[in-house]
Amino acid sequence: MRDFLRLAAVLLTSVFLTSPALAADGKSHHIAIQIDQNDPQVMNLALNNVNAVIEYYRARNEDVDIDVVAYGPGLHMLRSDTSPVQDRIKRLKDMVFPGKIQFSACNNTRQGMEKAEGHPIPIVADATVVPSGVVHLMELQEQGWSYVRP
């Protein structure tokens, strides 16, 4: 029986040491980043922040979820016809474990742009369309996500 308990203790210890989520005392990190400007410098700053957060927590073997939420003029970041950073977005999506980073495009803004421009607004393939960018940010914060605006 003593050997069984010792083996069980070793197995449990190895699970805690090898699981990224458990390695951080069960805490996972969540960050929402707002983009509301059609400014390539702001977009690149936000992506630099995303990269820094990913690298920081990867080095600590900790889990992090990131959601970059674009609305208003910032939706240009996620428009496939106008985005100056769509190649960087694709590279970031490719380097991160699936589901750990999301790019959220505001559908309210998209519909307004479609009405103003008179044609459909294409969104980059790596983005998810959400009904409202502002509401999405609010709901993430209500769920305990940290909020950053570059």
Side-chain angles (χ1 to χ4, degrees):
M1 181 67 166
R2 185 179 302 208
D3 289 334
F4 173 76
L5 291 175
R6 185 176 298 147
L7 178 61
V10 169
L11 287 174
L12 281 174
T13 301
S14 69
V15 167
F16 279 100
L17 293 177
T18 58
S19 173
L22 297 174
D25 294 329
K27 180 174 179 163
S28 59
H29 308 278
H30 310 281
I31 183 170
I33 300 176
Q34 170 186 322
I35 301 296
D36 65 353
Q37 299 175 53
N38 184 13
D39 182 341
Q41 285 185 302
V42 171
M43 294 173 192
N44 277 298
L45 176 60
L47 295 176
N48 291 346
N49 290 335
V50 166
N51 195 58
V53 167
I54 290 167
E55 294 301 322
Y56 178 84
Y57 286 113
R58 184 173 283 162
R60 294 175 57 125
N61 199 30
E62 294 181 24
D63 204 20
V64 63
D65 296 313
I66 301 169
D67 196 335
V68 178
V69 183
Y71 64 91
L75 186 63
H76 285 279
M77 179 181 194
L78 301 179
R79 286 182 57 163
S80 60
D81 61 338
T82 61
S83 176
V85 293
Q86 60 186 308
D87 292 337
R88 282 193 74 189
I89 290 169
K90 175 139 184 54
R91 283 193 307 271
L92 277 169
K93 287 283 279 193
D94 290 344
M95 84 177 238
V96 178
F97 188 76
K100 292 297 171 185
I101 186 167
Q102 176 172 309
F103 292 88
S104 297
C106 175
N107 197 45
N108 285 342
T109 300
R110 182 183 190 184
Q111 290 174 341
M113 287 179 173
E114 287 176 344
K115 185 176 179 182
E117 295 179 30
H119 61 84
I121 300 300
I123 301 297
V124 298
D126 293 304
T128 300
V129 177
V130 297
S132 167
V134 172
V135 170
H136 185 64
L137 278 170
M138 181 183 73
E139 290 175 347
L140 290 173
Q141 289 179 69
E142 290 172 350
Q143 295 168 22
W145 286 55
S146 298
Y147 164 81
V148 172
R149 182 173 184 243

